[in-house]
Amino acid sequence: MNVVKSKSSRSSSLPRGVKSEVQVASKVNLYQEIPNIEVSLDDFEEFALDRLKVLKMFELLKLRHIDSSQYKKHLDPLLNRLNKDYTKDWISHFVLRLAYCRTEDLRRWFLTQEVALLKWRLGHSAAGSTTEALASVLPEAKLIPQKELEASKLMPLILAATPGIKIDTKIYQVPFTHALDLVQHRQVLVRRGMAYIPESKLVNLVTARFRASLSRQLVLLSSVPATPGLQRTQGFLKNVATIHAIKDEFRSNLDSLMDLTATNVPDHIKHMPLCMAQLQMALQKEKHLKHWGRLQYGLFLKGAGLSLEDALAYFERMFVGKGFTKAYAYNWRHMYGREGKRANYPPYSCSKVISSNAPNANEHHGCPYKHGTVQEVSSMLARLGVNAQQQKGIIAQQLSHNYQLACVEHFKVTHPGVDSNQQVSTDNLGNHPNAWFSASVAYEKAMGGGGSDKETANTPASKQRETIKSMEVSP
């Protein structure tokens, strides 16, 4: 793929016949061929962002535990845009490969979402697409004729091994090593080194092969130097993985819900996800934050509605004996676009926090679920009023490397009944710390709290306030 200067015309530069050739290969693209075409810089970036919105939506639907029957209405508008041109889907996949091959965490995220997209497409494509895809990735798969099944008396065994299938179901034979996931969960019959797969389970085979192939190619790609045709895209590829592609709706109603000032920042630790609460606790204890911590927490508070004047006043008060005005005030003016190139820097998304550099000694930035131990996370949660029983679901997600799901679990245990509360928007809850903050503020208002003393003494929020009071030291 060669990236050329943006053209005034947005028409595809595909050579004639390329599109039809690839479409013939498979109705559902498994991306086995690298696009050998020219693409404009505008299309290169636009295609990637459109695909990223689709992948982020899959992640968001999972984080919000949306029922699969509701996926269609959320995905169709985004997929229609991506599928408008077959080559757009093809090119965008390989662009994001370049962006997400750099680290193990990025590769894991990309794999998870691409497999989810493939499963969705296989489940909603024309009849025969799954068997066609299977033939493409696993030529060894063999459809067993019904007469042969009856003659070999295998069908009763297959029905016993795979409950729920009908006697006239088509059965495929593959080496059992290609169906290890199904074998592991005892969902298929294995006999003489061969696994007998009902047609309804073929999606598992296709996605497993796709995942293995894509994983291997991402690892290989991570060590390949950029080609001259891609040099001008390096900045975009480096930053696209941290882009928060879903609309930042958390800012729309925050101003009407609360007023964050220099005097009440500590009181709002109860509304902070763990990645920000740990920075607030460290600031109160150590009266200082190192560079990456200042940047992560400063931008978060900016996104939460703290003005520059209040930010300067608050951190000057907290940075005791550090010569704040001379050494650090410039950092905050730069964050707010008042110094340097005067850019409007956005708060960090969850992807940005998770993929940031791991904290060193006396540093507190990053994602605690990713960069901290189970013991450290458990200790912080306990200080915030989350008891051992409530911690179980959070820790389970951390151990499974589902860091954003761990954050969602934290929100649920500290905000009981939020799923049934129509006044609280949980959109982007596991995608952005500020969405977590906004949802928590809205929840308190909906429950009649509004920052008052109406909460009972046994709620996590009230325990958080007790923790804050015990930690605060007069400067």
Side-chain angles (χ1 to χ4, degrees):
M1 182 162 49
N2 185 34
V3 181
V4 297
K5 271 189 178 180
S6 301
K7 302 173 182 177
S8 56
S9 170
R10 302 301 297 271
S11 59
S12 173
S13 57
L14 266 180
R16 293 192 180 192
V18 170
K19 179 176 173 181
S20 59
E21 268 180 31
V22 180
Q23 277 185 304
V24 168
S26 175
K27 294 178 183 177
V28 176
N29 198 343
L30 298 174
Y31 313 106
Q32 294 173 301
E33 297 181 21
I34 300 173
N36 186 23
I37 58 176
E38 286 189 351
V39 58
S40 73
L41 187 58
D42 285 343
D43 285 346
F44 184 90
E45 296 181 359
E46 180 188 314
F47 292 178
L49 290 176
D50 282 346
R51 187 180 197 87
L52 186 59
K53 289 176 183 178
V54 173
L55 301 185
K56 289 280 188 181
M57 181 54 71
F58 273 105
E59 178 187 43
L60 180 60
L61 293 171
K62 180 181 178 182
L63 290 172
R64 293 173 60 193
H65 301 286
I66 301 296
D67 188 86
S68 57
S69 63
Q70 302 296 314
Y71 276 28
K72 186 175 176 62
K73 69 177 182 181
H74 295 285
L75 290 169
D76 274 359
L78 300 175
L79 283 172
N80 289 340
R81 183 174 173 84
L82 181 64
N83 297 338
K84 192 173 182 180
D85 183 350
Y86 183 85
T87 57
K88 180 177 183 176
D89 171 63
W90 188 28
I91 291 169
S92 64
H93 171 82
F94 282 92
V95 174
L96 291 188
R97 278 195 191 189
L98 293 170
Y100 280 85
C101 70
R102 293 178 292 113
T103 68
E104 183 180 348
D105 289 323
L106 291 177
R107 291 193 292 269
R108 184 187 299 117
W109 184 90
F110 184 63
L111 275 171
T112 301
Q113 312 315 325
E114 282 288 339
V115 169
L117 174 57
L118 177 61
K119 282 184 177 179
W120 173 264
R121 283 177 164 166
L122 289 173
H124 294 79
S125 57
S129 294
T130 303
T131 54
E132 188 176 315
L134 180 65
S136 176
V137 297
L138 192 59
E140 302 96 319
K142 172 189 173 185
L143 175 62
I144 306 176
Q146 197 69 27
K147 290 182 179 180
E148 185 177 328
L149 285 172
E150 293 172 0
S152 61
K153 298 182 180 180
L154 282 173
M155 201 61 198
L157 298 175
I158 294 172
L159 291 171
T162 314
I165 65 170
K166 297 179 180 179
I167 195 167
D168 59 347
T169 299
K170 292 181 180 178
I171 303 297
Y172 289 78
Q173 181 188 69
V174 301
F176 83 95
T177 53
H178 295 316
L180 291 178
D181 184 57
L182 294 172
V183 173
Q184 178 186 0
H185 293 92
R186 300 186 178 184
Q187 296 181 5
V188 294
L189 173 69
V190 178
R191 189 175 184 184
R192 296 177 181 175
M194 304 302 291
Y196 294 87
I197 318 293
E199 189 175 30
S200 59
K201 302 288 185 182
L202 292 184
V203 171
N204 299 67
L205 284 184
V206 174
T207 54
R209 297 288 288 180
F210 174 77
R211 174 185 280 276
S213 175
L214 181 56
S215 177
R216 183 171 59 254
Q217 291 167 26
L218 287 171
V219 172
L220 292 174
L221 186 59
S222 65
S223 60
V224 176
T227 61
L230 292 176
Q231 287 293 346
R232 71 186 72 191
T233 67
Q234 290 307 298
F236 173 78
L237 292 173
K238 184 178 180 181
N239 294 319
V240 70
T242 60
I243 289 175
H244 181 58
I246 307 297
K247 184 180 177 182
D248 291 336
E249 297 176 350
F250 55 82
R251 293 299 305 275
S252 59
N253 62 349
L254 197 54
D255 292 340
S256 63
L257 292 176
M258 59 158 291
D259 183 23
L260 191 62
T261 67
T263 58
N264 64 12
V265 169
D267 296 334
H268 287 83
I269 193 172
K270 60 187 176 181
H271 298 310
M272 298 180 190
L274 200 59
C275 58
M276 301 302 166
Q278 72 171 350
L279 287 164
Q280 176 61 30
M281 289 188 287
L283 178 62
Q284 291 178 192
K285 180 181 178 181
E286 301 175 9
K287 302 300 179 184
H288 183 258
L289 289 176
K290 292 199 173 182
H291 173 74
W292 295 113
R294 296 195 298 270
L295 198 57
Q296 179 176 312
Y297 193 45
L299 290 174
F300 168 78
L301 291 177
K302 174 189 173 184
L306 188 68
S307 68
L308 173 59
E309 292 70 23
D310 280 311
L312 291 171
Y314 176 64
F315 284 97
E316 183 176 16
R317 177 161 58 87
M318 297 304 294
F319 277 44
V320 179
K322 307 294 183 182
F324 178 85
T325 302
K326 183 177 180 180
Y328 301 106
Y330 178 88
N331 295 158
W332 269 267
R333 293 198 298 272
H334 192 276
M335 283 184 218
Y336 281 76
R338 305 289 180 84
E339 298 284 359
K341 62 180 182 180
R342 301 183 183 276
N344 182 27
Y345 295 99
Y348 284 6
S349 67
C350 288
S351 297
K352 178 79 171 178
V353 174
I354 290 170
S355 62
S356 63
N357 297 326
N360 295 315
N362 299 320
E363 291 184 324
H364 306 280
H365 64 275
C367 172
Y369 304 113
K370 160 72 182 299
H371 301 123
T373 64
V374 169
Q375 291 73 20
E376 289 168 341
V377 168
S378 180
S379 175
M380 279 190 284
L381 289 172
R383 293 170 69 186
L384 293 172
V386 183
N387 63 44
Q389 182 64 31
Q390 293 171 320
Q391 289 183 24
K392 288 183 178 179
I394 303 172
I395 299 301
Q397 295 291 2
Q398 181 191 12
L399 292 173
S400 300
H401 304 292
N402 295 322
Y403 310 120
Q404 288 160 277
L405 288 178
C407 202
V408 172
E409 288 297 321
H410 177 202
F411 189 91
K412 287 185 175 181
V413 300
T414 53
H415 302 78
V418 68
D419 288 333
S420 58
N421 194 319
Q422 299 299 317
Q423 300 179 54
V424 182
S425 172
T426 55
D427 289 349
N428 303 325
L429 187 59
N431 276 331
H432 207 294
N434 287 86
W436 207 102
F437 183 87
S438 180
S440 180
V441 171
Y443 174 87
E444 182 179 72
K445 186 176 180 64
M447 298 300 288
S452 68
D453 295 326
K454 293 183 181 181
E455 296 154 329
T456 65
N458 293 323
T459 62
S462 65
K463 293 179 182 177
Q464 288 175 3
R465 282 205 301 272
E466 293 173 8
T467 300
I468 296 165
K469 290 178 181 177
S470 68
M471 285 167 25
E472 285 192 333
V473 179
S474 175

